[in-house]
Amino acid sequence: MRGLDWLGTRMARHLTAPGKLPAHRATSSPEKLAATLRRGDVLLVEGSSRISTAIRYLTQSTWSHAALCVRTPLDSRGRPVRGDCLLEADVTAGVRRVPLNHYWHQHTRICRPVGLTEEEISALIAHAEARLGHQYDLRNIVDLARYLIRTPPVPSRYRRRMLALGSGDPTRAICSSLIAEAFQAVRYPILPDSDVLPSSDPACLHCYEELLHIRHHSLFAPCDFDISPYFDIIKPTLCAGFDPHRLQWSEPPA
């Protein structure tokens, strides 16, 4: 156990170093991002580290990291609030709070749950904050590292489960499982499994009912919040009042 943890720690330091591929630029200004983000939002991050490459390969998506907004960055007057506003599971530091400027200049996406009350948002944030200080699942790091050494021809239907090969220790987490568990605590769907069954209503013989099943939180990836039909995608540039007629274009060469 200790030997695997030691190996995971060494690999974590290596994998969090910048990767070779350049990351995309931020698609909105820091000011617009701060003005748009709300409590309960999930902030997805593309990432540019070596571990980001492995996660993006396994999930076949743009996003490698997820953080939960636990405090709205600006107050009603547009002034910054005190304290860190994001909660995340970091590979080396574990579950922690970080300021929004940690991701200002990275490619991000805001995913907002729809229909939750303020009490429910407070409950899911409290559930996540109760995990502060927990460590990142380093066995998960060992699993991910294999895909940077040699990219295997893993069928797409099996790649997701490669992210769930960690220790299963409840005092350890990865970024997406931490947030997924918090939403499940208030019974908010992300991408639940479902069965379509004949309706139990005798007056509707040709009707069907969809029965949802909660998927284990360890099987969620950052991209699931993006593709979930229950999260709204919020774009800061549009929220700030985008007008295409005010754009300035360079003149094409003669």
Side-chain angles (χ1 to χ4, degrees):
M1 180 67 175
R2 290 184 177 180
L4 191 57
D5 283 347
W6 175 86
L7 179 61
T9 301
R10 294 293 297 270
M11 285 185 173
R13 293 173 182 172
H14 172 74
L15 295 176
T16 51
K20 295 181 180 179
L21 298 177
H24 292 95
R25 294 176 56 187
T27 55
S28 60
S29 67
E31 294 78 14
K32 291 178 181 177
L33 181 63
T36 306
L37 202 62
R38 298 287 183 269
R39 293 174 71 246
D41 287 351
V42 177
L43 184 69
L44 302 182
V45 184
E46 178 183 10
S48 58
S49 65
R50 294 187 178 108
I51 193 173
S52 299
T53 302
I55 294 174
R56 289 200 301 268
Y57 165 74
L58 290 174
T59 61
Q60 293 292 284
S61 76
T62 301
W63 314 109
S64 68
H65 185 64
L68 178 66
C69 180
V70 295
R71 292 181 181 82
T72 299
L74 303 179
D75 62 19
S76 58
R77 297 184 180 181
R79 299 175 299 187
V81 298
R82 293 183 179 181
D84 300 333
C85 65
L86 298 176
L87 185 142
E88 65 177 11
D90 179 72
V91 173
T92 55
V95 181
R96 63 177 183 175
R97 295 189 185 97
V98 293
L100 181 57
N101 61 16
H102 199 70
Y103 296 115
W104 266 357
H105 302 295
Q106 297 196 41
H107 184 206
T108 58
R109 171 163 291 174
I110 298 174
C111 301
R112 179 167 298 164
V114 176
L116 287 178
T117 66
E118 286 299 320
E119 290 75 15
E120 289 170 328
I121 291 176
S122 296
L124 78 88
I125 289 174
H127 189 279
E129 288 185 326
R131 275 70 182 163
L132 283 168
H134 287 191
Q135 294 302 306
Y136 198 95
D137 196 336
L138 296 180
R139 292 197 177 192
N140 186 266
I141 295 295
V142 176
D143 297 324
L144 291 173
R146 294 179 298 142
Y147 296 93
L148 296 180
I149 298 172
R150 180 175 181 269
T151 303
V154 180
S156 58
R157 64 182 180 275
Y158 296 130
R159 288 175 185 168
R160 176 179 298 275
R161 290 191 174 274
M162 298 302 177
L163 289 172
L165 297 178
S167 65
D169 186 340
T171 64
R172 297 176 182 269
I174 61 174
C175 64
S176 49
S177 67
L178 169 74
I179 299 174
E181 188 178 15
F183 277 98
Q184 288 181 345
V186 296
R187 301 192 67 80
Y188 191 84
I190 303 171
L191 279 178
D193 295 322
S194 63
D195 291 330
V196 178
L197 305 174
S199 174
S200 57
D201 185 357
C204 190
L205 299 178
H206 300 288
C207 296
Y208 291 88
E209 297 176 345
E210 185 179 32
L211 182 63
L212 301 181
H213 302 282
I214 295 177
R215 181 189 298 173
H216 194 272
H217 59 266
S218 67
L219 295 177
F220 285 98
C223 65
D224 289 334
F225 298 97
D226 184 16
I227 64 178
S228 170
Y230 310 109
F231 284 77
D232 201 2
I233 303 302
I234 308 298
K235 298 187 176 183
T237 299
L238 300 183
C239 290
F242 173 68
D243 183 356
H245 304 98
R246 300 181 63 181
L247 296 177
Q248 296 184 3
W249 298 89
S250 60
E251 295 296 329

